[in-house]
Amino acid sequence: MSKTATKAALLPPPFYSPYLDDQCNKINSKPVPWEGYQRAKLVSGDEVQLLKSINKLPQSQRSTTFATQGAQYASLYINLLRKLQRVDTVQAVLVAINDMLTSDPTTTIPLFHSLSTVEHPEDPYGPIVKCLSMDEEFAILGSLRILGVLIATDTNPFPQTLISPLLKSISTLLNGTRQPLWEVAAQALGAILGRKQFRDAVWAEEQCISGLLKSLKTNANPQAQYWSLSSLWMLSFEKEAAEGMDRKYDIIALLTTVAKASVKEKVTRMVIATLRNLLTQAPTQNLPSLFVQKTLALVSSLQERKWSDEEIEDDLTYLSTELKGRLEGLTTYDEYLSELESGKLVWSPTHESEDFWKENGARLGQEDSGKGIKRLVELLKTSKDPLVLAVAASDVGQYVKSVGDKAKATVAEQGGKTRMIELMGHDNADVRYRALMSVQRLMSLHA
Amino acid sequence: MSRPGALSDNEIQGEMNKMVAFISQEAREKSREIQVKADEEFAIEKAKIVRQESLAIDQQFEKKRKQAETGWKISQSTALNSSRLKVLQARNDHLEQLFEDAGKDVKELASGDKYAKALEAFILEVLLILLSPTVTLAHRPKDTDLIKKATESANSSYKEMSGRECKIEFDASLPDDSAGGVVGSTLGGKIKVDNTLEERLKILREKMLPELRSALFGKDKANVTSPSRSYLTPEN
C-alpha cells in the first residue's frame, strides 16, 4: 500500500468522554514508583529510563521524542502491558499510550500497528485485550478507547481469537447501568464497526445490539442516540444484518419513533441513512414494516424541512422514490407471499384489492401444494398480534370468496374454521369483526 | 468594569473553547460518517472490479489452455504420423533386405541336389506355356549337361501331357553368374517365357507379399493405423 493511501485511512474516529479524561488526569498526577518496581525486577533499567525521560517533558513537547523514538515507546508500552499485573502500573501505561496516540496520531498510530512479530503475532492487541479482563474500571475503559482508535485505523486483519473477549467486554458495559461506561463502550463499538471484519461478529453478538437498542428506547439524550444509531447504521451495510434486523429487533418501528421525536439534525440524519440501507440491502424483508410504520409519510414530512446537510436530503429523496415505486409492486402476488412469510401482515393495498383476489385467490390454494393458504391459517392460529390476526382473518375470507366451496373445505381441513369461530370472541374489536365476516363466508351455502 | 451577569474574560474564553470543541466534535462525527460511506463504496467498487478482472483472466486462461491443447494435439498427431512413417520405412527396408538375402541364397540353389529335378520342371513349364513346335532354351553355359538331360525327360512328359512334340534348341546365352533356370523363347525370340530363378523369385515376391507381410508383421490389414501393433510380440 502506498504511503498516501495509508495516510488517508488514518482518521481516528472522534472520542468524547470527559469522564475518562478526568480519570486520566487523576492517574497522571499520581507518579508511579518505577524505580521501586525495577528493584522488584518487574521492569528493566532501560524501560525505566525511557519512561522517565518521556515523563519529564510536558505533553506539548513530547512529539519530537515520539518522532525519533516512537517505535521504541510503542514497543515498550505493549511489552509492559504484557508483563505487568499491578493496577497502578497498567493504568499508567494505558494513559501513556493514550497520550502518545493523541499527541500525534498520524505518526504514532502506525507505530502500534506494526508491532506484530512472529513471536507475538497478536501484538499490539493481545496485551491490550488482556487488560479487559481486569477487575478495574479504568483498565477496561482505557483499553477500550485505545482499541477503538487502533482498530479503526488498522488495515491489517484483527486476530480472530481476540474478537470475542473484546465484544463481550463491550456488551457488558452496554447492558450495564452506568452511563459514562455505556458511552465509552458505545463509542468503542462505533469505532470498530468501521471495519467489515467486525460487522459480522457484532451482528452475531446479540447482547451488543440489544444494549444499544435499550438505550435508544430509554435515553433521549441526542448524543447517546447518535452513538447508538451510528453503530446500527454501520451494521446495516451488511446484507445479513439488514435482512434480519427488523425481524429480530423490530428496528424500523424504533427508528421511526426516534426520528419523529428527534430535534437534532445528526440524529435524524442517522435514522434516515439507516433506513436507506435497510431498503437497499434487503427490500423484501423490510418493506412490510416500512409500510406499516408509514415511513413514506415520515419521509415526506421530513422533506419539507430545511436541512443543512446534503446527504440527508439525498437519502430522503431516495427513500421517497423507492418507497413510492415499491408501493406499486406491493400489489403483486410475490410480495404478498413474502409478507405472509415474514408473518407481519399489515393493511397494505393488496389485502383489500378486489383485483388481487380475483387474480390470485386460487393460487394461494394451488401453488406449491397450497403453501400459501397453509401459512395463512398457521398465522391465524399462532400469531399474537391483533393486527396480523385481523388481516389474516380478512384474507381467509377473501380467499374463500374468490375460490368458492373448495376453499371452504381446505380451510376447514386445516382447522381454520374452528379457529375463526374462536376469534369471534377475541379481545380486539377489529379481529372480532373480521372473523365474523369470514365465518359468514365459510358457512354460507353460496360463495 | 463588570456588570452583573456579564462574563469575565476567562469565562468568555471558556465558553468559546466549549463552542469550538462542540463544533469540532460535530465536524469530526460527520467526517467519520463520510469516511465510512466512502469505504463502503470503495469495497463495492473493488469487489466489482476484482470480479470483472478475474472473469477476464479466466477467459484468457481458457483461451490459452485451448491453444495449448490444440498445439499439443497437433504435435501428437505429427509425432504419430512420423513414427508411422518410420515403421513403414523399417518394414520396407526389412523386406528389401529379405529379398536381397533371398536373392543371394537363390544363387546357392543351383549347386544343390534338387537343381536337376527343378530344371526339368522349369523346362516342362516353359513348354506347356509356349505350346510351340519349336522352342529355344537359353541357359547358363555351366548347366549345359544338366539341361540336356533335363530336356529329355521334360520333353517326353510334355508329349504325354499335351500330345504334342517339340523340337528343342539350346542356347548357352545366360550369364554364368545368374542364378540358374531357363528362358524359353519361340517365334524367333518374339515370345519369351522367363523361367530363371531370379524371375521366379520376383514373381514369388509379388504374389507372396501380402502373406509375407502378415507372417512377419502380424495381421492388421496392412494398414498402419492401429496403435496396438502386435508385430513386436513373437506370437506370429
Side-chain angles (χ1 to χ4, degrees):
Chain A
M1 244 207 182
S2 70
K3 270 280 155 117
T4 39
T6 343
K7 277 225 155 78
L10 266 197
L11 208 53
F15 196 96
Y16 179 74
S17 175
Y19 178 79
L20 202 52
D21 291 335
D22 209 35
Q23 297 204 328
C24 285
N25 288 333
K26 287 206 185 95
I27 291 170
N28 261 334
S29 62
K30 289 189 301 193
V32 176
W34 289 114
E35 284 93 346
Y37 294 139
Q38 185 187 351
R39 282 195 292 275
K41 299 256 197 271
L42 287 176
V43 285
S44 76
D46 296 330
E47 290 171 336
V48 174
Q49 199 54 37
L50 283 171
L51 288 167
K52 296 203 74 160
S53 46
I54 199 84
N55 284 337
K56 268 194 247 166
L57 300 171
Q59 293 278 8
S60 44
Q61 292 179 14
R62 291 187 187 179
S63 33
T64 17
T65 322
F66 289 137
T68 47
Q69 293 180 290
Q72 271 184 297
Y73 275 99
S75 173
L76 166 71
Y77 291 143
I78 296 299
N79 280 329
L80 287 177
L81 280 183
R82 201 196 320 276
K83 59 182 182 179
L84 296 173
Q85 321 277 22
R86 288 185 57 106
V87 168
D88 56 343
T89 54
V90 168
Q91 287 178 338
V93 175
L94 287 175
V95 172
I97 296 179
N98 192 58
D99 288 344
M100 182 171 166
L101 291 175
T102 25
S103 70
D104 187 5
T106 340
T107 349
T108 55
I109 294 181
L111 294 173
F112 283 91
H113 289 163
S114 42
L115 281 180
S116 157
T117 60
V118 169
E119 232 178 278
H120 301 291
E122 295 183 337
D123 274 11
Y125 299 114
I128 310 179
V129 170
K130 183 172 80 112
C131 299
L132 290 176
S133 51
M134 284 176 74
D135 198 9
E136 201 275 316
E137 184 186 290
F138 182 80
I140 300 177
L141 296 181
S143 311
L144 281 179
R145 171 155 68 171
I146 294 171
L147 285 169
V149 168
L150 289 181
I151 293 175
T153 47
D154 199 349
T155 47
N156 304 319
F158 184 78
Q160 198 67 21
T161 44
L162 297 177
I163 292 186
S164 179
L166 174 55
L167 289 184
K168 289 246 165 0
S169 178
I170 290 181
S171 87
T172 315
L173 295 180
L174 286 178
N175 284 298
T177 46
R178 295 193 47 203
Q179 189 58 22
L181 277 57
W182 183 94
E183 291 183 352
V184 170
Q187 291 181 77
L189 185 60
I192 66 182
L193 276 177
R195 300 271 301 276
K196 266 197 164 356
Q197 186 184 3
F198 281 92
R199 290 188 191 163
D200 295 328
V202 173
W203 172 240
E205 190 74 36
E206 297 186 354
Q207 293 302 318
C208 265
I209 302 179
S210 59
L212 292 174
L213 295 174
K214 193 169 79 163
S215 168
L216 262 185
K217 288 181 196 158
T218 52
N219 189 350
N221 172 277
Q223 189 60 45
Q225 288 184 332
Y226 177 77
W227 283 326
S228 301
L229 290 169
S230 337
S231 290
L232 294 170
W233 172 61
M234 284 189 270
L235 276 176
S236 68
F237 278 106
E238 300 305 308
K239 194 155 194 289
E240 207 188 312
E243 287 173 353
M245 237 194 258
D246 188 46
R247 187 188 295 214
K248 264 187 149 178
Y249 302 106
D250 219 1
I251 203 160
I252 296 186
L254 181 55
L255 287 174
T256 321
T257 321
V258 170
K260 284 191 186 147
S262 148
V263 283
K264 289 214 82 175
E265 181 174 321
K266 67 185 186 187
V267 171
T268 327
R269 177 169 82 212
M270 277 286 108
V271 169
I272 298 299
T274 314
L275 288 175
R276 179 179 180 158
N277 274 356
L278 290 177
L279 186 55
T280 330
Q281 297 286 356
T284 343
Q285 287 83 347
N286 291 312
L287 273 172
S289 290
L290 286 171
F291 192 79
V292 81
Q293 295 297 331
K294 303 197 173 33
T295 315
L296 188 51
L298 170 67
V299 166
S300 309
S301 77
L302 287 176
Q303 275 178 316
E304 304 197 347
R305 285 202 234 166
K306 197 94 187 0
W307 303 99
S308 54
D309 184 293
E310 289 185 352
E311 255 111 11
I312 190 175
E313 291 184 342
D314 219 27
D315 291 345
L316 283 171
T317 321
Y318 174 83
L319 279 171
S320 164
T321 342
E322 273 300 303
L323 286 174
K324 282 202 193 116
R326 297 274 180 171
L327 226 47
E328 321 290 315
L330 220 45
T331 54
T332 64
Y333 185 64
D334 297 308
E335 299 278 4
Y336 178 74
L337 277 183
S338 65
E339 208 186 319
L340 274 187
E341 204 48 45
S342 78
K344 292 187 167 215
L345 297 184
V346 296
W347 286 114
S348 58
T350 326
H351 299 272
E352 308 271 70
S353 150
E354 291 292 327
D355 290 329
F356 176 78
W357 287 107
K358 236 187 280 184
E359 280 176 31
N360 298 307
R363 288 170 81 178
L364 212 56
Q366 284 165 6
E367 271 190 13
D368 255 334
S369 45
K371 183 163 147 207
I373 188 64
K374 277 198 195 114
R375 175 74 179 143
L376 200 49
V377 175
E378 187 189 327
L379 284 174
L380 209 57
K381 286 196 240 180
T382 54
S383 173
K384 302 265 184 311
D385 184 343
L387 176 59
V388 175
L389 287 173
V391 178
S394 162
D395 279 1
V396 170
Q398 294 277 27
Y399 169 64
V400 170
K401 180 167 147 195
S402 69
V403 175
D405 288 328
K406 188 148 180 299
K408 294 184 206 164
T410 321
V411 174
E413 244 172 61
Q414 298 184 14
K417 194 157 153 189
T418 326
R419 178 65 179 150
M420 197 70 78
I421 297 178
E422 266 175 38
L423 285 176
M424 289 207 302
H426 193 270
D427 297 327
N428 182 296
D430 199 33
V431 174
R432 289 201 297 270
Y433 171 70
R434 302 285 168 189
L436 180 60
M437 301 303 292
S438 298
V439 163
Q440 269 185 353
R441 298 235 170 82
L442 282 170
M443 303 281 218
S444 72
L445 291 170
H446 311 286
Chain B
M1 218 240 71
S2 48
R3 285 162 293 146
L7 300 168
S8 72
D9 283 345
N10 268 350
E11 287 168 331
I12 292 175
Q13 189 62 38
E15 285 302 305
M16 275 184 40
N17 284 344
K18 275 200 220 159
M19 288 203 293
V20 164
F22 172 76
I23 294 172
S24 155
Q25 169 84 358
E26 295 277 296
R28 286 166 72 200
E29 283 174 351
K30 181 64 190 174
S31 70
R32 166 113 175 112
E33 287 171 36
I34 294 175
Q35 181 178 40
V36 168
K37 267 179 130 175
D39 284 345
E40 275 305 305
E41 284 168 26
F42 163 73
I44 292 174
E45 193 62 27
K46 184 169 108 167
K48 190 171 89 177
I49 293 179
V50 163
R51 217 173 29 240
Q52 280 176 357
E53 289 305 308
S54 59
L55 261 166
I57 289 176
D58 281 341
Q59 283 172 352
Q60 272 184 18
F61 176 74
E62 190 55 31
K63 202 164 84 174
K64 285 203 176 123
R65 195 187 62 80
K66 284 229 166 78
Q67 282 176 354
E69 201 176 318
T70 322
W72 177 79
K73 279 198 180 133
I74 289 176
S75 54
Q76 195 193 33
S77 176
T78 316
L80 200 63
N81 277 348
S82 78
S83 62
R84 283 177 197 162
L85 284 175
K86 279 200 189 123
V87 165
L88 277 175
Q89 188 63 40
R91 284 189 187 173
N92 260 6
D93 291 347
H94 185 74
L95 282 171
E96 287 298 320
Q97 187 63 39
L98 198 68
F99 287 124
E100 215 178 286
D101 292 344
K104 292 199 183 91
D105 291 346
V106 153
K107 294 209 166 124
E108 310 289 310
L109 283 179
S111 26
D113 32 335
K114 300 210 183 125
Y115 189 54
K117 213 71 176 89
L119 271 183
E120 199 181 309
F122 293 166
I123 297 170
L124 180 57
E125 249 186 343
V126 165
L127 294 178
L128 285 171
I129 290 174
L130 287 176
L131 288 178
S132 166
T134 54
V135 166
T136 311
L137 290 175
H139 61 86
R140 299 188 300 180
K142 63 166 121 170
D143 288 339
T144 317
D145 292 333
L146 282 173
I147 289 281
K148 281 228 167 63
K149 251 175 110 183
T151 310
E152 273 176 37
S153 1
N155 216 345
S156 55
S157 308
Y158 176 63
K159 190 162 165 188
E160 263 177 61
M161 285 190 199
S162 68
R164 303 188 191 202
E165 290 203 3
C166 181
K167 177 154 185 304
I168 305 204
E169 286 184 13
F170 298 99
D171 180 12
S173 57
L174 288 186
D176 242 349
D177 64 359
S178 118
V182 289
V183 179
S185 58
T186 180
L187 289 184
K190 291 206 183 98
I191 305 185
K192 269 206 177 112
V193 174
D194 187 336
N195 216 352
T196 54
L197 288 184
E198 286 103 337
E199 191 60 26
R200 288 182 73 86
L201 184 58
K202 233 196 249 170
I203 293 172
L204 187 75
R205 177 174 168 157
E206 277 163 29
K207 291 232 164 107
M208 295 290 285
L209 205 48
E211 278 179 53
L212 278 175
R213 274 230 171 84
S214 173
L216 283 175
F217 306 130
K219 281 186 204 276
D220 64 354
K221 287 128 188 161
N223 191 355
V224 199
T225 46
S226 152
S228 60
R229 308 308 318 286
S230 56
Y231 63 85
L232 290 171
T233 61
E235 58 187 26
N236 302 304

